[in-house]
Amino acid sequence: MFRVWGRIIKDNHLIRDHVVCIDTRDLRRTQKVYAALDELCYEFDLSKPVWLKSNQDDFIRHARTRFTVDNFIDTINFDYLDFYVIEEDE
């Protein structure tokens, strides 16, 4: 199972969180990451963030990244969206 934890943080406080579980082994890891981000954005009613080079580098190194105001085209009313892989397929 592939699980991702998404958290919306404002002023160092957790506003909302959601865990996405993807149970299919037919998808590659990258496809699972994008599917999880799509589901989080749908759950939080957000536009999809843009992956910047810094996000890609953080995610490759730590399986975690933060999407800030620079990543969204729409205005957001929080500080960042934390995107964190908590479980990966073996």
Side-chain angles (χ1 to χ4, degrees):
M1 180 172 304
F2 186 82
R3 294 188 317 153
V4 172
W5 185 22
R7 303 181 308 159
I8 292 181
I9 307 294
K10 182 174 183 172
D11 298 328
N12 292 327
H13 290 86
L14 177 66
I15 304 299
R16 289 186 69 189
D17 71 330
H18 182 71
V19 175
V20 176
C21 300
I22 298 177
D23 204 15
T24 181
R25 293 185 181 265
D26 297 340
L27 301 175
R28 294 187 316 268
R29 183 177 190 261
T30 304
Q31 293 171 318
K32 291 177 185 179
V33 167
Y34 287 133
L37 184 59
D38 288 348
E39 186 175 328
L40 281 175
C41 289
Y42 180 80
E43 178 70 26
F44 295 150
D45 193 26
L46 297 173
S47 62
K48 293 178 190 171
V50 175
W51 284 82
L52 302 175
K53 176 80 169 124
S54 60
N55 297 107
Q56 292 172 349
D57 293 343
D58 286 344
F59 194 77
I60 289 169
R61 268 190 228 111
H62 309 292
R64 179 181 197 167
T65 191
R66 289 182 175 178
F67 296 107
T68 61
V69 68
D70 296 335
N71 299 94
F72 292 92
I73 294 178
D74 298 337
T75 324
I76 58 172
N77 59 353
F78 53 88
D79 294 333
Y80 60 89
L81 167 64
D82 195 26
F83 185 79
Y84 180 51
V85 176
I86 55 177
E87 181 181 346
E88 294 208 42
D89 300 327
E90 295 179 6

